[in-house]
């Protein structure tokens, strides 16, 4: 049996689109996904929608919006998935299960979010529900406060990591300059990211504004099938492995300076793919905060616990390093519309592996990985992908 393949994709620009119409946003991602796959709406057998919402929009039951966006999909089964910031990957996993079972021949996955229709304080309150509300609902500064506390604990244990966090932010913003879909296409520079200022104030603990991903609106879509279409305009990309590992929600019941569930996902995912980190040409990882990317270096095995800074300060994860991390600019530059993020990461990886990443393109990568997480490394998804 052929493994599932990404045979088409679409992606809207991420940014502040508070007045965006949800149906139009969906259509703007779905139409190019079908076009690049060389398919018509009638070829789609199942629709899988990633949409966190949580009160960001008054409209719920968002799987039903796809048929309004593309009327030809009116009678195609559609289902919504939600798994915090890993909502997009949850929708992908549901589609993969359906395709691998043989029940669905061609699946459409679309992730979207409109966040900026709400004021900043309301957004922070909604996102903080992805923490353990019984213990963490009063955390100042919302989810930035959660990661600010994680960073504080890490700094207390292993020393000041501000140089490393600034280098991660500067790297991702420099990479994002070349991404036409990025929310912020501006090279902020290391000096700006390293030093607090009126334009870059401290937000939570040691985290500054430059350490936090952007509150964004946008959509991304994939077409997944076991067979490539002869009319496709892009080369297909297939899964070598896919892994989901969960961890406990309350930070009080685990070591907040370790992403243990993420580490287990990486161990299992690489083993299932028959690969090592050295085989990868790049990684798209979930840098909701620069502290998250630092901990993910340790989870993927780039450095021992407490020494993740080495991977960025020695240049390993830079665009010209031996394992480029977030060549698309990551969430830090591209933006983080919650339901769209996991789908967007897979689009970025597919573009790299198919050789269609434009100015973002790395030299002919054959294998890449996507890591997407919900909460503070609670729901951990890893895809190892290869050019087909």
């Amino acid at each position: 049996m052929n493994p599932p393949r990404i045979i088409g994709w679409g992606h809207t620009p991420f940014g502040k689109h508070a007045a965006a119409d949800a149906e139009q946003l969906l259509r703007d991602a779905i139409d190019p996904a079908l076009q690049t796959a060389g398919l018509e709406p009638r070829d789609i057998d199942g629709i899988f929608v990633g949409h966190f919402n949580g009160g960001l929009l008054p409209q719920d039951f968002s799987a039903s919006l796809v048929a309004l966006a593309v009327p030809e999909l009116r009678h195609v089964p559609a289902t919504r998935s939600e798994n915090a910031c890993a909502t997009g990957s949850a929708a992908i996993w549901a589609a993969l299960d359906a395709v691998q079972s043989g029940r669905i021949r061609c699946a459409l996955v679309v992730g979207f979010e409109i966040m900026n229709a709400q004021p900043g304080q309301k957004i922070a309150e909604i996102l903080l529900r992805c923490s353990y509300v019984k213990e963490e609902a009063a955390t100042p500064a919302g989810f930035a406060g959660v990661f600010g506390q994680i960073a504080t604990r890490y700094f207390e244990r292993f020393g000041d990591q501000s140089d490393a966090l600034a280098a991660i932010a500067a790297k991702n913003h420099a990479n994002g300059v070349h991404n036409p879909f990025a929310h912020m296409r501006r090279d902020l520079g290391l000096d700006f990211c390293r030093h607090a200022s009126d334009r870059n104030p401290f937000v939570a603990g040691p985290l500054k504004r430059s350490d936090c991903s952007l509150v964004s609106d946008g959509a991304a879509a994939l077409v997944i099938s076991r067979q490539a279409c002869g009319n496709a305009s892009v080369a297909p990309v297939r899964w070598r492995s896919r892994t989901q590992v969960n961890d406990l929600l309350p930070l009080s019941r685990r070591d907040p300076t370790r992403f243990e569930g993420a580490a287990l996902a990486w161990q299992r995912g690489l083993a299932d793919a028959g690969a090592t980190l050295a085989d990868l040409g790049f990684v798209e990882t979930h840098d909701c905060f620069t502290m998250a990317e630092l901990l993910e270096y340790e989870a993927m095995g780039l450095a021992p616990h407490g020494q993740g800074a080495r991977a960025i300060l020695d240049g390993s994860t830079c665009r010209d390093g031996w394992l480029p991390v977030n060549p698309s600019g990551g969430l830090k530059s591209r933006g983080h519309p919650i339901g769209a993020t996991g789908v967007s990461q897979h689009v970025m990886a597919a573009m790299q592996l198919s050789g269609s990443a434009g100015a973002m393109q790395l030299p002919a990568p054959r294998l890449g990985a996507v890591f997407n997480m919900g909460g503070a490394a609670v729901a951990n998804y890893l895809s190892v992908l290869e050019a087909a």
Side-chain angles (χ1 to χ4, degrees), residues 140-382:
F143 230 85
V146 172
F147 272 86
Q149 292 178 356
I150 292 172
T152 297
R153 291 279 296 275
Y154 192 98
F155 281 32
E156 290 171 350
R157 191 168 173 184
F158 300 110
D160 191 323
Q161 308 293 316
S162 297
D163 288 346
L165 298 189
I168 289 170
K171 166 184 70 73
N172 290 348
H173 278 289
N175 289 346
V177 169
H178 306 291
N179 188 342
F181 304 113
H183 185 153
M184 184 183 289
R185 299 183 66 185
R186 187 161 70 246
D187 187 349
L188 297 180
L190 180 61
D191 186 68
F192 177 88
C193 296
R194 178 61 182 86
H195 298 103
S197 64
D198 290 342
R199 293 176 57 217
N200 190 27
F202 284 103
V203 174
L207 301 183
K208 299 182 288 294
R209 183 177 291 163
S210 59
D211 293 303
C212 307
S213 60
L214 299 159
V215 176
S216 305
D217 312 313
L222 300 170
V223 179
I224 297 173
S225 176
R226 290 205 305 262
Q227 301 293 332
C229 175
N231 295 324
S233 61
V234 293
V237 171
R238 64 188 168 212
W239 271 265
R240 179 81 76 87
S241 72
R242 63 180 175 111
T243 310
Q244 182 188 354
V245 174
N246 268 51
D247 208 339
L248 295 170
L249 180 59
L251 285 171
S252 64
R253 298 181 60 184
R254 52 195 176 102
D255 182 352
T257 70
R258 290 180 184 266
F259 282 177
E260 295 174 81
L264 188 54
W266 272 98
Q267 292 164 19
R268 291 179 180 174
L270 288 174
D272 289 347
T276 67
L277 283 179
D279 296 318
L280 301 179
F282 66 92
V283 172
E284 286 289 337
T285 201
H286 192 104
D287 59 319
C288 50
F289 301 93
T290 54
M291 190 65 217
E293 182 165 328
L294 184 74
L295 291 175
E296 287 156 19
Y297 292 163
E298 298 177 8
M300 69 177 73
L302 276 174
H305 182 48
Q307 300 179 42
R310 290 184 352 199
I312 181 66
L313 296 179
D314 69 7
S316 295
T317 60
C318 294
R319 181 179 173 83
D320 57 356
W322 72 268
L323 183 59
V325 174
N326 286 331
S328 71
L331 285 58
K332 187 68 203 66
S333 173
R334 195 171 68 251
H336 185 20
I338 305 299
T341 289
V343 184
S344 169
Q345 289 179 296
H346 284 78
V347 171
M348 296 296 111
M351 291 172 68
Q352 284 288 351
L353 292 168
S354 65
S356 58
M360 295 184 288
Q361 187 66 52
L362 297 168
R366 299 296 299 171
L367 204 66
V370 171
F371 176 75
N372 180 209
M373 70 181 185
V378 177
N380 302 279
Y381 291 81
L382 181 71

